[in-house]
Amino acid sequence: MSHTLTAISAAAPLAAGWTMHGLWFRRSLDQARRDPLTGLPTRAAFEKHAEQLLRETRCAVLLIDLDGFKQINDVHGHAAGDAAIRAAGERLGTWVQVQSGAVGRLGGDEFAAVVPMPHTTDLPVELRTLHEMVCEPVEFDGHLIPLGCSIGAYHGPFPAPSLSTALRVADEAMYGAKQTGGGWLITSNPTPAYRTVNGRRDGRPGTDIEEGTT
């Protein structure tokens, strides 16, 4: 009996050590899958969740881009720009959580989301709510900084096209919304209208012909 107790006592610190190692590993893995500024999933983590949702049900695919972001950086500084991105990410994350969807920061001031949306008539109401949430002013250094965004949404029949295709047409819809001063725009056409350069819509950053930042 005493030998058994001794063995258990000796094994306890080892087991505790492995438990702590497992917790550290899972925490490190979770952090690696999240954007350090917003806490939202990274592109890879978002795509994995989003593709699963698209296989399961009819969804809306959203591309969200902040309006006037360059001006925020130029006028208020990069710390204010970070605060704007962080606030937009938190608000978008809250909205997507209610929708039981997937969300991620794609980079810069660009975000994406995929949310279950069986009924077409529900989407305009939800986008209006999301736009109002994201566009609330951001408090920074004792000042309220105006924040705007443009949202493009693809919402077509089930099954959906590939995530990359849906994001491309959502991006085109977002561009259309931005050209008219911001807001949101929905498309149900899965065929992209713009040619692409390096996998991005012609005129987006990273292509040969760049639009000015709005």
Side-chain angles (χ1 to χ4, degrees):
M1 182 70 170
S2 60
H3 292 297
T4 303
L5 290 175
T6 301
I8 293 174
S9 299
L14 183 61
W18 276 109
T19 299
M20 292 301 295
H21 177 76
L23 290 173
W24 173 85
F25 180 77
R26 285 193 293 271
R27 189 177 297 114
S28 299
L29 191 62
D30 183 64
Q31 289 175 347
R33 292 171 175 167
R34 292 192 175 274
D35 169 55
L37 181 58
T38 63
L40 294 179
T42 59
R43 178 189 287 267
F46 158 72
E47 288 178 348
K48 182 177 180 179
H49 188 188
E51 287 169 351
Q52 178 184 351
L53 287 173
L54 288 175
R55 288 193 298 267
E56 294 174 348
T57 187
R58 188 184 187 195
C59 294
V61 179
L62 278 56
L63 202 294
I64 303 98
D65 194 87
L66 299 186
D67 295 336
F69 181 69
K70 184 177 184 299
Q71 185 178 6
I72 293 176
N73 277 332
D74 291 347
V75 174
H76 302 283
H78 289 282
D82 286 349
I85 289 175
R86 187 161 45 245
E90 290 174 355
R91 296 164 185 177
L92 179 59
T94 298
W95 181 84
V96 170
Q97 185 176 27
V98 173
Q99 304 295 329
S100 300
V103 62
R105 181 186 176 200
L106 301 185
D109 59 330
E110 187 177 70
F111 304 86
V114 173
V115 294
M117 194 69 57
H119 306 295
T120 304
T121 53
D122 293 338
L123 186 55
V125 177
E126 295 296 344
L127 290 182
R128 187 176 300 112
T129 299
L130 175 61
H131 188 261
E132 290 175 356
M133 286 178 63
V134 175
C135 292
E136 285 289 324
V138 177
E139 186 174 352
F140 177 77
D141 198 23
H143 301 283
L144 286 178
I145 300 174
L147 188 62
C149 76
S150 297
I151 305 172
Y154 167 75
H155 190 231
F158 179 80
S162 67
L163 176 62
S164 60
T165 298
L167 284 173
R168 273 184 61 189
V169 293
D171 174 67
E172 292 180 0
M174 181 279 296
Y175 179 69
K178 191 177 287 285
Q179 292 295 97
T180 57
W184 48 268
L185 188 64
I186 302 170
T187 181
S188 59
N189 185 358
T191 304
Y194 291 84
R195 75 182 185 94
T196 60
V197 178
N198 300 326
R200 296 174 64 79
R201 171 176 45 79
D202 192 0
R204 295 282 284 165
T207 64
D208 295 333
I209 305 171
E210 293 193 7
E211 299 281 352
T213 304
T214 58

